[in-house]
Amino acid sequence: MKLAVVGGGSTYTPELIDGFARLRDTLPITELVLIDPAADRLELVGGLARRIFARQGHDGKIVTTSDIDAGVEGADAVLLQLRVGGQAARNQDETWPLECGCVGQETTGAGGLAKALRTVPVVLDIAERVRRTNPDAWIIDFTNPVGIVTRALLQAGHKAVGLCNVAIGFQRKFAGMLDVAPADVHLDHVGLNHLTWETAVRLGGPEGENVLPRLLAEHGEAIADDLRLPHAIVDRLGVVPSYYLRYFYAHDEVVRELGSKPSRAAEVAAMEKELLEMYGDPALDEKPALLGKRGGAFYSEAAVDLAASLLGNSGGPEGPSVEGGRGRRAGGSPYQVVNTYNNGTLPFLPDDAVIEVQAAVGPQGVSPLPVAPLDPLYAGLIANVTAYEDLALEAALRGGRERVFRALLAHPLVGQYAYADGLTDQLIAHNREHLAWA
């Protein structure tokens, strides 16, 4: 089996490599290609990747290249984990919106729109190269904003699935609190990428006992602390929101907080410099502890599970059945939280909206599981942000100041015409080199 990783020179790649090495029985990779235009970073990361494989007894071959066409040729799956503009662009996304009194964040609000505008054309170009050289390959997108990028890929007819680590993080956390294996925890996870709620936590599968009330009663304080939300608010909601909901539920508080300290991008840039120095040490043959502070916890395990299911390497050659939104697979759960077309799952959204929910996954594709009717408190915000994502994708595909303005005006974290106008000018000024139409 051959896998390719576009953005393979990322400092986070050793986390992915560690997962591939540890879970090689689940995903038997014979060749792994790391693709990145930054040759210096790529060689450092590639060297450490080979040493990790060797230490853990993995006999797969690791190849590094800056040639996308050659790298993806013959690949069974292509993982996208790129950042157009690097940490410098992220730093801008996280700072200039604060000048207008709006949240500065790389995946939502004005900063998230800027990232989408930079990223969608690049990802679509890469996907077309994959289709030309290897039309049967699956594309697994971990590139933010995952929902918008995945929708762009699906809309263009690519075999694509979006992946985020938020759900697997909750699954692992709740499993620890319940003292059960992670595979025994099934989440009723619903919403859009970075706009989700855990509405139930079930033991054993989608029909299992809902233990969320017990979790909130026994561990509510710890859960709320992790979300950085008041315990009383989580109790009143009766569900567990993604930590990204803090940008919506405590917007003004977050703006004040972000304005009083260095950006997360600045922190990560310093961390990356230190990590690259570590990666250059020929004695290092495991992922360093510092990488755990980089973000993206459990990404490697989620990526392995998803790739294995899509490629039919779990539960036999056919993988799980997705008929009727249900599946059965020997040796583990057939369900995974992914980003895919709505197709009627949330009846208040169009079929071609991309949602993040539990789904049955196999070589035939992805089929969302049924979702119970949602409280208007959540459905309303999902519908609002979906409308924004419609306009954001239109701006990313067609460009133009007015399309950027409309997307910002529609976003619930912006919403006022004066803010939208000012942010539009700032976005274009800070991203002109990445926007062909500007």
Side-chain angles (χ1 to χ4, degrees):
M1 178 189 301
K2 177 179 178 179
L3 259 66
V5 179
V6 180
S10 166
T11 56
Y12 198 72
T13 296
E15 166 67 25
L16 193 61
I17 300 300
D18 179 73
F20 288 158
R22 287 186 294 104
L23 303 172
R24 55 187 175 276
D25 291 340
T26 302
L27 191 67
I29 297 171
T30 54
E31 182 178 357
L32 177 65
V33 184
L34 305 180
I35 306 167
D36 204 292
D40 51 346
R41 293 169 60 108
L42 185 60
E43 287 312 305
L44 291 174
V45 173
L48 175 57
R50 295 184 185 98
R51 296 193 297 272
I52 291 173
F53 263 31
R55 176 191 173 111
Q56 300 198 30
H58 195 303
D59 58 4
K61 179 173 69 170
I62 295 179
V63 177
T64 58
T65 181
S66 60
D67 187 332
I68 294 175
D69 295 324
V72 301
E73 186 173 3
D76 296 288
V78 178
L79 277 69
L80 305 181
Q81 55 167 38
L82 56 145
R83 181 182 296 280
V84 179
Q87 294 298 331
R90 176 181 179 176
N91 186 65
Q92 292 180 349
D93 294 344
E94 293 177 344
T95 52
W96 55 262
L98 296 174
E99 299 171 12
C100 296
C102 296
V103 160
Q105 213 278 330
E106 64 158 342
T107 62
T108 192
L113 176 60
K115 193 172 196 303
L117 297 183
R118 294 193 303 268
T119 304
V120 166
V122 174
V123 166
L124 289 178
D125 176 68
I126 293 169
E128 285 301 325
R129 291 165 180 260
V130 173
R131 180 151 53 191
R132 287 198 301 268
T133 59
N134 193 17
D136 293 328
W138 278 100
I139 296 176
I140 298 173
D141 178 60
F142 194 66
T143 297
N144 282 320
V146 168
I148 295 173
V149 172
T150 301
R151 185 169 180 179
L153 288 165
L154 291 172
Q155 192 170 283
H158 298 289
K159 290 176 60 177
V161 183
L163 179 65
C164 180
N165 69 313
V166 168
I168 195 171
F170 276 129
Q171 181 198 44
R172 298 305 196 263
K173 183 181 298 295
F174 296 154
M177 292 174 171
L178 294 165
D179 196 25
V180 299
D184 292 333
V185 175
H186 178 96
L187 303 176
D188 284 10
H189 176 104
V190 61
L192 311 177
N193 179 243
H194 290 185
L195 193 85
T196 52
W197 296 262
E198 312 307 324
T199 59
V201 178
R202 303 183 185 277
L203 292 180
E207 309 301 333
E209 176 193 2
N210 178 19
V211 296
L212 179 57
R214 189 203 333 164
L215 276 170
L216 291 175
E218 297 177 0
H219 303 281
E221 192 74 49
I223 291 170
D225 285 348
D226 283 345
L227 299 172
R228 301 189 64 200
L229 288 172
H231 184 192
I233 292 297
V234 177
D235 269 350
R236 288 168 68 181
L237 293 175
V239 302
V240 179
S242 159
Y243 46 85
Y244 286 93
L245 265 298
R246 186 168 181 261
Y247 296 115
F248 296 81
Y249 292 163
H251 175 273
D252 293 354
E253 177 184 340
V254 171
V255 168
R256 289 192 296 271
E257 183 181 287
L258 293 176
S260 66
K261 63 180 184 179
S263 69
R264 173 63 178 165
E267 295 176 1
V268 171
M271 201 179 304
E272 287 194 335
K273 182 179 179 181
E274 188 174 350
L275 284 169
L276 289 170
E277 291 175 357
M278 291 179 177
Y279 296 171
D281 180 357
L284 183 67
D285 59 2
E286 59 184 344
K287 62 176 184 179
L290 178 62
L291 188 55
K293 299 179 181 180
R294 173 68 178 78
F298 306 113
Y299 161 43
S300 62
E301 295 177 32
V304 166
D305 286 347
L306 180 55
S309 295
L310 290 172
L311 300 176
N313 288 284
S314 295
E318 298 304 319
S321 166
V322 295
E323 183 176 355
R326 291 283 185 241
R328 292 291 178 266
R329 181 173 76 208
S333 171
Y335 310 116
Q336 291 159 52
V337 172
V338 296
N339 285 260
T340 191
Y341 271 150
N342 178 45
N343 283 338
T345 307
L346 300 181
F348 55 88
L349 295 184
D351 285 348
D352 65 350
V354 165
I355 60 174
E356 186 172 289
V357 292
Q358 287 276 7
V361 182
Q364 313 95 316
V366 174
S367 180
L369 301 187
V371 172
L374 277 181
D375 186 314
L377 180 62
Y378 315 125
L381 186 53
I382 290 170
N384 190 340
V385 176
T386 297
Y388 151 75
E389 290 190 348
D390 289 346
L391 295 167
L393 183 54
E394 182 76 2
L397 294 173
R398 300 179 63 192
R401 186 189 187 283
E402 189 63 18
R403 293 189 181 93
V404 174
F405 169 78
R406 285 166 55 82
L408 288 169
L409 189 62
H411 201 295
L413 296 182
V414 180
Q416 299 183 54
Y417 70 83
Y419 286 171
D421 254 333
L423 289 167
T424 297
D425 290 337
Q426 289 266 46
L427 186 155
I428 293 171
H430 285 285
N431 291 275
R432 198 174 298 277
E433 64 181 295
H434 300 290
L435 306 177
W437 53 268

